[in-house]
């Protein structure tokens, strides 16, 4: 997910359940990778450390609500609100 502050976060979420005296509680466990993003001369660049930048081939489509989905290197990124 691309954030307006230049941070990009990708990861997976998994549902978790915990049972005890008070009953069962559902939650989410998230593992995520983050880096930085920027656009220069119309090309998206990504960086793990904020110093070494790599230009990305990308395709932009829309989801069913009309929001952009960016596809790059086999991953999909969505807009963060």
């Amino acid at each position: 997910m691309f954030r307006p502050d230049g941070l990009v976060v990708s990861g997976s979420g998994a549902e978790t359940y915990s049972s005890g005296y008070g009953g069962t509680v559902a939650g989410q466990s998230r593992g995520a990778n983050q880096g930085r993003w920027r656009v220069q001369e119309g090309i998206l660049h990504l960086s793990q450390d904020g110093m070494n930048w790599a230009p990305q081939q990308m395709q932009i489509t829309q989801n069913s609500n009309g929001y952009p989905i960016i596809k790059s290197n086999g991953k999909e990124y969505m807009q963060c609100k």
Side-chain angles (χ1 to χ4, degrees), residues 1-2 67-69 77-81:
M1 150 170 43
F2 286 80
Y67 290 99
I69 301 288
Y77 301 90
M78 64 182 189
Q79 176 182 353
C80 180
K81 292 186 175 188

Side-chain angles (χ1 to χ4, degrees), residues 34-69:
Q34 66 182 30
R36 305 294 298 173
W37 71 273
R38 69 181 182 193
V39 175
Q40 285 188 322
E41 298 179 15
I43 298 172
L44 173 68
H45 292 78
L46 297 177
S47 172
Q48 287 286 328
D49 59 12
M51 296 181 68
N52 299 302
W53 295 88
Q56 304 297 306
Q57 295 292 325
M58 66 178 175
Q59 175 187 15
I60 300 174
T61 58
Q62 292 179 330
N63 67 12
S64 60
N65 292 326
Y67 290 99
I69 301 288

Side-chain angles (χ1 to χ4, degrees), residues 21 28 36:
Y21 178 76
Q28 280 196 318
R36 305 294 298 173

